[in-house]
Amino acid sequence: MTAEAEQLTAHRPAPVAPRVHKGRYSLARTLKYAALIFFLVIVLIPVYVLLVTSFKGTGDADPSRAWALPQIWTMDNWATAWTTLAPAIGRTLAIVVPSSIISAFLGSLNGFVLSRWSFRGADIVFTLILFGMFIPYQAVMIPLTQLVLDIGIPTGVPTLIMLHVVYGIPITTLIFRNYYQTVPHELIEAGRVDGAGMLRTYWSIVLPISIPSFVVVLIWQFTSAWNDFLFAVFFSSSQNGPVTVALNNLANGALLQNYGVSMAGALFASLPTLLVYIILGKYFVGGLMSGSVKG
Amino acid sequence: MLNKLRRVGPPLLMLAPSLILLGVFVYGLIAANFTTSLTDNHTAAQATGQQPAVLVWFTNYVDLLASEDFQHSLMNLVLYTVVFLVGTMVMGFLWAWMLEKPMKGEGLFRSVYLFPMAVSFVASGVVWRWLLNSNQDEQASGLNRLFQIVGLDALQNNWWNNVTFGIIAIAIPAIWQLSGYVMALFLAGFRGIPEELREAARMDGASEWKLYRHVLFPQLSPVALSALIIIGHMSLKAFDLIMSISKPANYQTKVPAVDMFVFKSSFDYANAAAVGSILLIIVAIVIVPYLVRTNREEKR
């Protein structure tokens, strides 16, 4: 709290019942709701388009019917999109699950050490790690392709797992460090008194209380790796690529400029992250907040 | 000696995997990229080692910055960044301000405003390509058709096909996608302001507007800075949306990140690396002071 605020609160008289604004502000409130609903509709317009178009057959292709509901509802687009995208969705899962778990684990190790072990230059180390979060990956892409060749790991799933692990470290470290700084010192010191070393303390005291943070980190990593397109487009082909690459190919398909299929595909590609958002919204937002450095 | 090792050993052991990985994959590769950008490695033959690349120092940078083509990309980047930043900040702040006080339906509004953030740019690009279709009048679909339906025919335009301002059309879906994020940041900011502050200001007879103007808004400046940094650095990396809405080689909507991809695709590694370095320099100019400042503040 600022000094000014403290001053203000210092000689505060006894609490008074909060002022009731009803009546006087009802016009303002109506306007506010109108504005909120207006923006709600605007935000949802693409969803309407996506759903409606995905159910349209080719007979609805006339531009004059663009915004109308389908004349005949059909699931054909959905079926086509699913058969095209299903293998890629499987590959995405195979990338996203292990990479999220590994980068979360590494982040928790780093976060623990950096929040509890002060050594000269610890801040610099932390800042150097954080900078990895902000670099444009374009600035490492060319030598990265060479490095991947040199390591000899196949493109597609294995390479993408590795890249999401490595470039996930900065954000996971940040989230865990911020979390461990809020854990009471005594809890961790207790272990130390009993003679436990750092590794032991981490394993038996810190790790078990890290679960809430793990949930946030895993959701964050899951979402960003699922939605990644940049690494995917550089390090996979249409045969071994994740769903973003497959969807992009589907949508840019030369033979069919069939928006219905593309839109059904876009829905399939978004469903997992949307489900995470709907079911675990609180943790999803937690990840978003941690991304803002100060947390 | 042994004692010191026992003290320093375990933490170092725990940090080591990450430090090595980041040392190689971030700092090592940045250096390697910079080296490549100083060579004349412009063709596939050289890439396969048939012809050794020759050091040409900053020639690639000079040529790039002097070319009308790349200047257009930089101009697009500036336009995109300005529109994207202003758009998300204004919308995000407005939404947060409206939702700041507890009210009915608050959760619904918040969830809907935020949901586009969960969707990939590639997926939303599919819808927005349809919405931003440039056909007009009889042929119009997408937003142009919608404008006709509601009687705003004059608003019809060719969207991203406009050579000078087409990139702004790409900023619209970006704003759609990230305004909710900025809202969430500002909401957290509003909620983080201690209740006593408001109470105190009200005691002193401040009107609602004065309370916001003089007490609450000033408290939000760190949040605003975070949001600017995050959105700003995202906009410099803009790639996915452009790739899925227009085509990569499209002159109208290209930005440096797309140029880098196009150079790489034609095996012009030197220029691709140079574009990458230019992007890194732009990001570093913004990010490094911010990180240093955050670091210093934490120490206090």
Side-chain angles (χ1 to χ4, degrees):
Chain A
M1 209 192 292
T2 63
E4 213 176 318
E6 270 170 87
Q7 226 179 5
L8 279 173
T9 49
H11 35 103
R12 183 164 48 127
V16 182
R19 254 192 270 168
V20 182
H21 303 296
K22 273 182 193 157
R24 201 179 137 203
Y25 286 101
S26 71
L27 178 68
R29 185 170 322 130
T30 313
L31 282 177
K32 188 160 92 170
Y33 270 104
L36 284 169
I37 291 167
F38 171 76
F39 286 120
L40 191 86
V41 171
I42 300 271
V43 172
L44 287 176
I45 281 178
V47 181
Y48 168 80
V49 167
L50 189 79
L51 281 172
V52 164
T53 314
S54 74
F55 286 112
K56 281 183 177 176
T58 39
D60 279 309
D62 191 76
S64 67
R65 295 198 42 81
W67 288 85
L69 291 171
Q71 281 175 313
I72 301 161
W73 295 73
T74 165
M75 293 291 283
D76 290 357
N77 299 326
W78 289 69
T80 314
W82 176 249
T83 39
T84 321
L85 293 186
I89 289 178
R91 285 191 292 270
T92 305
L93 269 177
I95 293 164
V96 166
V97 171
S99 66
S100 305
I101 294 172
I102 300 170
S103 62
F105 181 68
L106 286 173
S108 105
L109 281 177
N110 299 340
F112 171 59
V113 174
L114 290 171
S115 67
R116 287 298 163 210
W117 184 56
S118 53
F119 55 95
R120 279 234 319 254
D123 290 332
I124 294 168
V125 170
F126 180 58
T127 308
L128 284 175
I129 293 177
L130 268 198
F131 186 61
M133 193 163 86
F134 290 102
I135 62 158
Y137 299 128
Q138 282 85 5
V140 293
M141 226 37 126
I142 294 295
L144 189 56
T145 50
Q146 191 57 49
L147 182 70
V148 166
L149 269 179
D150 290 347
I151 301 175
I153 125 174
T155 60
V157 176
T159 299
L160 290 173
I161 292 178
M162 179 182 82
L163 296 180
H164 288 309
V165 167
V166 172
Y167 294 105
I169 291 174
I171 180 90
T172 60
T173 301
L174 170 73
I175 298 176
F176 277 109
R177 194 192 79 130
N178 285 351
Y179 173 70
Y180 292 138
Q181 274 179 339
T182 66
V183 172
H185 223 84
E186 296 75 31
L187 199 66
I188 289 164
E189 284 309 308
R192 209 152 294 150
V193 172
D194 293 344
M198 200 142 187
L199 283 167
R200 176 98 213 144
T201 314
Y202 172 76
W203 188 253
S204 43
I205 298 177
V206 175
L207 210 50
I209 57 163
S210 308
I211 292 172
S213 241
F214 265 101
V215 176
V216 168
V217 168
L218 286 173
I219 287 174
W220 174 269
Q221 287 300 92
F222 178 89
T223 310
S224 49
W226 188 282
N227 288 340
D228 161 69
F229 180 64
L230 184 64
F231 284 130
V233 87
F234 274 87
F235 293 98
S236 70
S237 64
S238 42
Q239 281 78 44
N240 63 15
V243 68
T244 44
V245 167
L247 175 64
N248 193 53
N249 289 340
L250 178 73
N252 286 310
L255 354 153
L256 71 157
Q257 189 43 273
N258 186 340
Y259 272 111
V261 174
S262 317
M263 298 220 186
L267 237 137
F268 281 129
S270 315
L271 227 45
T273 49
L274 278 178
L275 282 178
V276 165
Y277 171 68
I278 292 165
I279 299 169
L280 301 165
K282 196 178 84 184
Y283 301 99
F284 182 90
V285 177
L288 287 184
M289 294 300 133
S290 328
S292 66
V293 185
K294 287 292 281 177
Chain B
M1 181 68 204
L2 196 71
N3 248 341
K4 197 177 173 192
L5 195 72
R6 278 174 84 173
R7 204 171 57 81
V8 177
L12 264 186
L13 195 73
M14 291 162 86
L15 283 184
S18 301
L19 292 185
I20 292 168
L21 285 176
L22 291 181
V24 172
F25 280 84
V26 173
Y27 296 97
L29 291 185
I30 286 176
N33 184 70
F34 186 63
T35 315
T36 307
S37 73
L38 302 180
T39 67
D40 68 344
N41 193 342
H42 294 299
T43 57
Q46 287 175 340
T48 52
Q50 290 167 12
Q51 245 179 297
V54 176
L55 195 67
V56 293
W57 294 106
F58 290 95
T59 317
N60 297 324
Y61 291 88
V62 174
D63 290 351
L64 267 177
L65 293 173
S67 78
E68 191 278 329
D69 213 50
F70 191 67
Q71 283 170 7
H72 177 72
S73 296
L74 287 175
M75 197 55 222
N76 271 349
L77 185 64
V78 172
L79 268 177
Y80 179 81
T81 303
V82 170
V83 176
F84 182 30
L85 268 178
V86 172
T88 47
M89 293 300 283
V90 170
M91 294 306 277
F93 180 76
L94 190 67
W95 292 350
W97 191 13
M98 289 193 293
L99 291 172
E100 182 248 330
K101 281 187 199 150
M103 60 187 284
K104 265 204 193 115
E106 176 195 342
L108 172 77
F109 291 119
R110 225 183 318 134
S111 311
V112 171
Y113 292 163
L114 189 59
F115 99 88
M117 179 78 192
V119 179
S120 68
F121 283 124
V122 178
S124 75
V126 170
V127 186
W128 281 96
R129 185 153 60 148
W130 187 91
L131 285 167
L132 300 176
N133 191 307
S134 63
N135 290 340
Q136 293 175 30
D137 303 319
E138 282 302 292
Q139 283 307 306
S141 60
L143 287 179
N144 281 350
R145 172 66 71 181
L146 188 66
F147 290 152
Q148 284 178 2
I149 295 172
V150 297
L152 293 168
D153 293 51
L155 284 180
Q156 287 193 79
N157 66 80
N158 54 356
W159 299 109
W160 56 266
N161 275 315
N162 183 305
V163 175
T164 320
F165 298 112
I167 193 69
I168 292 176
I170 309 279
I172 297 171
I175 294 170
W176 174 78
Q177 216 150 356
L178 284 154
S179 294
Y181 182 38
V182 176
M183 172 199 73
L185 290 175
F186 274 121
L187 264 180
F190 272 119
R191 300 274 148 88
I193 300 172
E195 193 53 36
E196 294 83 40
L197 257 182
R198 295 164 191 255
E199 295 283 316
R202 288 201 185 109
M203 282 309 146
D204 291 356
S207 68
E208 276 298 288
W209 167 245
K210 275 192 174 155
L211 167 68
Y212 278 107
R213 172 73 187 76
H214 296 291
V215 183
L216 301 186
F217 290 166
Q219 296 274 320
L220 292 175
S221 49
V223 175
L225 183 66
S226 290
L228 275 175
I229 294 283
I230 292 166
I231 301 296
H233 104 278
M234 287 181 77
S235 98
L236 294 174
K237 302 189 215 172
F239 176 74
D240 305 19
L241 259 184
I242 298 171
M243 290 285 285
S244 58
I245 292 181
S246 74
K247 292 217 170 57
N250 237 328
Y251 180 81
Q252 300 93 301
T253 52
K254 71 196 197 68
V255 294
V258 174
D259 284 331
M260 189 268 153
F261 175 74
V262 174
F263 280 132
K264 152 79 172 52
S265 306
S266 60
F267 303 100
D268 185 345
Y269 290 146
N271 271 332
V275 174
S277 295
I278 290 172
L279 275 177
L280 179 71
I281 291 165
I282 301 175
V283 170
I285 289 172
V286 181
I287 295 299
V288 171
Y290 176 70
L291 286 179
V292 170
R293 210 190 78 118
T294 313
N295 199 335
R296 208 175 292 152
E297 261 176 21
E298 268 193 9
K299 263 191 221 159
R300 271 197 277 145

